[in-house]
Amino acid sequence: MASRKLPVLLAGLLLAGAAHASQASHVHASHAWIRLLPANLPAGGYVVLANDGDRAARLAGAGSRDYGSVMLHQSTSQGGMDVMRMVDHIDIPAHGRTALAPASYHLMLGKASHPLKPGDKVPVTLRFADGSTLHVDFLVRPANASGDGRD
Amino acid sequence: MKPSRIASIVLPLLAVVLLLAGCQRSAPAPWQLTDIRSHMPDLAFSLTDDGGKAATAADFKGKVTLLYFGYTHCPDVCPLTLAHLHAVMEKLGKQADAVRILFVTVDPARDTPAVLHDYVRAFDPHALGLTGPPRAIEALVKRYRASFSREPAQGDGSYEVSHSSAIYIFDRAGKARLLATPADTQDQLVHDLRLLIGSGD
């Protein structure tokens, strides 16, 4: 009896161990939205990422079938000037959260593959430094929105 | 002491006290934004609006004008600022009729009148786009001691433009009055705009 249960138990523990190692499995996304701008102008993507793991998670990239280009960006205000630059990664601290929000970290989404409108859901794949991925649906909102409308 | 002696001491003192009291009464209004009156020149420009027509500051006399420098390929801060101003216009309600938001592009190469038109209209009906020759834009930016710098283009031709984050506010006579920064709240903007709208000068 024990010999039949042991492999199952071991397999279970191994699986649990593997799941525990993945950064994506510890990250929970909420309030994901895209600020839609007219014509083919690049759009901004925002989301709150909470990490319940014991180690920091590192967001290393993102992709979407609705956009040809998705980059991680950061806006900063330095000495009265607004500057935006691309970043390689965005860290989410252990047992903490990082918000991609206006005037801070955000996704820059460009080269839309087809016209989008407010109310659409854009599936985005967030890629972490360890290769794990998290799928998040971003809600398309109008240009003058102040959030995802669901707070 | 002789009465004339008392008078010669008390009267000057009284005059000083009255003068000081007068100063108190003419103290500045309780602005919540930064007061820039007499620190910045009057609104003056000669540019092209988002309908392709010539526009000057004279066109906006009688309106309270908000001036902001940005560009349409900026997906984060410029839209945030315009969305923020849209929320302010909503809070002002009917009073917003007296306000105009001028979005001056620091990227005239990409921001044609047509591009600007679609862009500002996505935010608020009180917003207008302005463009013009690079020299005219630079002159206006310099006039308000703002600045911008364009990064070199990437392989695909895209580039970012760093730009001042301030919103310059002019009264109905075109005089520079207030400066709003990203740290200022919508309520602070609403409060001060109400004062400028109400003053009628």
Side-chain angles (χ1 to χ4, degrees), chain B residues 9-192:
Chain B
I9 295 166
V10 170
L11 281 175
L13 272 174
L14 201 56
V16 171
V17 168
L18 282 172
L19 263 171
L20 283 171
C23 284
Q24 291 295 322
R25 269 199 296 277
S26 64
W31 302 110
Q32 295 185 1
L33 301 174
T34 305
D35 188 343
I36 56 169
R37 179 167 33 177
S38 76
H39 294 307
M40 290 273 180
D42 296 353
L43 187 64
F45 62 81
S46 186
L47 294 169
T48 304
D49 70 18
D50 59 45
K53 297 205 299 290
T56 68
D59 300 334
F60 300 95
K61 278 250 159 70
K63 299 289 182 203
V64 172
T65 314
L66 279 62
L67 183 72
Y68 178 68
F69 298 101
Y71 67 114
T72 70
H73 281 72
C74 161
D76 185 50
V77 175
C78 300
L80 172 66
T81 305
L82 288 173
H84 186 65
L85 291 178
H86 168 67
V88 169
M89 294 301 112
E90 298 266 276
K91 288 182 178 182
L92 283 172
K94 198 82 183 63
Q95 289 183 298
D97 290 348
V99 181
R100 290 294 180 269
I101 299 164
L102 302 182
F103 181 76
V104 179
T105 183
V106 291
D107 185 14
R110 287 186 294 194
D111 291 346
T112 62
V115 167
L116 283 170
H117 183 88
D118 288 345
Y119 188 80
V120 297
R121 289 296 180 273
F123 290 97
D124 192 275
H126 306 91
L128 250 115
L130 289 170
T131 185
R135 269 196 314 278
I137 305 285
E138 281 158 25
L140 188 58
V141 166
K142 225 181 235 151
R143 187 178 172 82
Y144 298 105
R145 292 178 234 157
S147 59
F148 68 96
S149 70
R150 207 189 108 158
E151 295 173 4
Q154 317 247 326
D156 65 354
S158 66
Y159 54 86
E160 309 303 339
V161 185
S162 315
H163 56 88
S164 300
S165 48
I167 300 164
Y168 303 87
I169 303 175
F170 301 82
D171 64 20
R172 292 181 190 261
K175 300 252 173 284
R177 299 295 295 272
L178 302 164
L179 190 109
T181 70
D184 293 317
T185 65
Q186 288 173 12
D187 287 343
Q188 286 173 317
L189 270 154
V190 170
H191 174 275
D192 284 9

Side-chain angles (χ1 to χ4, degrees), chain A residues 36-43 67 109-111, chain B residues 72-74 111 115 119:
Chain A
L36 187 66
L37 293 177
N40 293 316
L41 292 169
Y67 285 96
L109 305 127
K111 303 187 176 83
Chain B
T72 70
H73 281 72
C74 161
D111 291 346
V115 167
Y119 188 80

